[in-house]
Amino acid sequence: MKSNKVVCINGESWVRNLTGIERLAIEATCFLDRMVPKGTVRLVVPKNAKNLPSLKNIEIVTLNAEAHFMPAWTQIHFQKYVLSHNGISLNFSNTCPFLCPGFEFIHDIYCALYPEDLKTRRDKLIYFYSTMMYKRIARKAKAIFTVSEYTKKTIVEKYGTPADKIHVVYSGVSGYKNIVADNTIFDKLPVLKDMDFYFTLGSLSVRKNLKWIVRHAELYPNELFAVSGKPLPTAVSPELKKLNSLPNIIMTGYLSDGEVKALLKKAKAFVLPTYFEGFGLPPLEALSAGCTIIVSNKTSLPEIYGKCAHYIDPDEPNVNLDVLLKEDVESPEKILEKYTLENTAKRMLDVMKRFDVFGNLQK
């Protein structure tokens, strides 16, 4: 018997600043729009959503409520819509409507695995909400999407979730290749125009392991690092002050996508010394821009990047990067073909079709 339920996408990503999760949500939704029958999926957005896409098959529904930091949007407004419209929720950002979990993403369970990183009052609120969401999704979701076998393994071990309930769909890049490099960044930061440099990008949080950059820069004063990203209101690295004081570290502040791409095209290598990643999207963006990558040998990164990356120990900053870069690595062509957001959407659709929510769409 056919289900007449409709998949309701939580549109909070159209309110938030663009990070890897938001890019996945936005681009995967646009790819899903090309694949699903009309009338089977709705994008439910708050009234403060911005840059909404032009969709053909997915209906956009705007509710008379705004989404902000607190979870009222998901737990009140979005949840009420799902329950009152016979819906199945689809959330991209480690959350779910508590009363009706549906198809839910868990990108990683960082807060559950590293509670010691979360120390302030705000941190502790995020820890409480995040771990509550992890547990609820792990136990009650119809299906769980995640972005690596590593994260799948941590969910199974932490929450006892049956492995066949968790589906690795990976993340990826798609529209990033169309971004035009903005070389005016070298007018703003002329030292990067005239010198070789290493580049790192991401939220300036504890798990990004900025202390590796600091210690390495101290040990190798002739190397230049450009560090981009903005401090999070939670889990800010204690090394941030030192990053601003070392002469061979350039703190670029927030950069546009075009400026980032320009730096990636000129950098000696992109460096990601993080000690925890559920997937690790920035190195993939770097590879797509033709930049060599140096990444941590921990958590998901070896799984994702295989023999296309140079690896470092995130606990050992004393490494000669010039020597490391002489090691042979494989072409990234195959992983760039594998990790696209179109493929993410296809894998998601294959899972959702099992729940018979798309009418006569072929399984």
Side-chain angles (χ1 to χ4, degrees):
M1 183 176 178
K2 300 292 183 187
S3 168
N4 61 354
K5 283 185 175 290
V6 61
V7 174
C8 299
I9 299 173
N10 187 340
E12 65 179 346
S13 292
W14 278 264
V15 174
R16 300 163 71 171
N17 292 330
L18 279 179
T19 67
I21 290 176
E22 286 72 37
R23 290 183 194 279
L24 188 157
I26 291 167
E27 291 196 43
T29 295
C30 291
F31 282 118
L32 281 172
D33 182 58
R34 306 175 192 178
M35 303 172 189
V36 300
K38 188 180 290 289
T40 60
V41 181
R42 294 174 193 161
L43 173 59
V44 183
V45 300
K47 65 181 181 180
N48 59 329
K50 54 194 176 185
N51 301 319
L52 291 173
S54 177
L55 301 176
K56 179 181 178 182
N57 294 314
I58 296 177
E59 177 187 0
I60 299 178
V61 177
T62 302
L63 303 187
N64 187 30
E66 293 190 354
H68 298 286
F69 166 71
M70 295 304 289
W73 162 258
T74 295
Q75 300 306 333
I76 298 175
H77 308 293
F78 177 71
Q79 179 164 250
K80 181 179 178 181
Y81 184 90
V82 173
L83 288 170
S84 62
H85 288 79
N86 197 32
I88 301 177
S89 73
L90 169 55
N91 287 262
F92 285 93
S93 58
N94 292 342
T95 61
C96 71
F98 190 85
L99 298 177
C100 53
F103 304 124
E104 314 296 353
F105 264 86
I106 297 181
H107 294 262
D108 61 59
I109 55 170
Y110 170 66
C111 291
L113 297 177
Y114 291 91
E116 66 275 13
D117 285 354
L118 304 166
K119 297 176 181 177
T120 69
R121 184 183 177 196
R122 182 183 170 108
D123 291 348
K124 293 183 187 304
L125 287 172
I126 289 179
Y127 169 81
F128 173 77
Y129 184 64
S130 296
T131 54
M132 178 179 68
M133 289 287 96
Y134 300 156
K135 186 180 295 185
R136 187 66 175 174
I137 294 169
R139 295 180 177 175
K140 296 296 183 180
K142 292 182 181 296
I144 300 168
F145 297 126
T146 194
V147 292
S148 64
E149 292 291 343
Y150 166 79
T151 299
K152 177 176 179 175
K153 180 173 178 286
T154 62
I155 297 168
V156 171
E157 291 176 349
K158 180 71 177 177
Y159 298 108
T161 309
D164 60 2
K165 187 178 179 179
I166 307 171
H167 307 274
V168 178
V169 298
Y170 295 110
S171 187
V173 292
S174 292
Y176 195 81
K177 63 185 177 184
N178 299 321
I179 293 170
V180 177
D182 181 359
N183 290 309
T184 62
I185 185 61
F186 297 112
D187 297 326
K188 300 175 187 176
L189 300 170
V191 66
L192 300 180
K193 183 177 183 179
D194 301 325
M195 295 181 65
D196 289 335
F197 63 91
Y198 294 99
F199 182 41
T200 190
L201 168 73
S203 61
L204 303 181
S205 61
V206 173
R207 66 167 159 172
K208 298 303 179 182
N209 198 23
L210 294 174
K211 66 183 179 182
W212 189 98
I213 300 289
V214 168
R215 291 172 182 171
H216 181 86
E218 289 174 325
L219 290 167
Y220 294 85
N222 293 326
E223 290 180 352
L224 181 65
F225 283 83
V227 178
S228 175
K230 65 188 225 179
L232 295 178
T234 60
V236 175
S237 170
E239 304 296 334
L240 197 52
K241 290 183 180 178
K242 207 160 191 180
L243 280 166
N244 283 293
S245 67
L246 288 173
N248 57 331
I249 294 179
I250 306 298
M251 298 297 292
T252 69
Y254 175 80
L255 298 176
S256 70
D257 288 342
E259 290 170 332
V260 168
K261 196 159 194 178
L263 294 183
L264 287 173
K265 284 183 168 294
K266 187 178 184 299
K268 288 180 71 173
F270 178 84
V271 183
L272 188 72
T274 177
Y275 61 78
F276 181 88
E277 290 291 334
F279 180 86
L281 185 62
L284 192 64
E285 295 173 339
L287 289 175
S288 75
C291 186
T292 300
I293 61 172
I294 299 171
V295 301
S296 165
N297 60 6
K298 302 296 184 182
T299 63
S300 67
L301 294 169
E303 171 194 342
I304 302 303
Y305 294 103
K307 297 180 180 179
C308 298
H310 300 278
Y311 290 98
I312 53 174
D313 183 337
D315 296 318
E316 179 48 73
N318 190 6
V319 54
N320 189 315
L321 297 184
D322 285 335
V323 172
L324 184 68
L325 289 175
K326 291 178 182 178
E327 297 177 357
D328 289 333
V329 292
E330 291 183 354
S331 165
E333 182 179 354
K334 289 183 178 179
I335 66 170
L336 288 172
E337 290 176 358
K338 177 180 180 181
Y339 300 131
T340 71
L341 292 173
E342 182 175 12
N343 287 339
T344 303
K346 288 177 179 176
R347 293 179 182 116
M348 291 171 61
L349 185 61
D350 286 342
V351 173
M352 292 189 290
K353 283 191 293 187
R354 302 175 196 176
F355 292 83
D356 206 14
V357 293
F358 298 112
N360 60 1
L361 187 64
Q362 288 294 315
K363 294 185 180 181

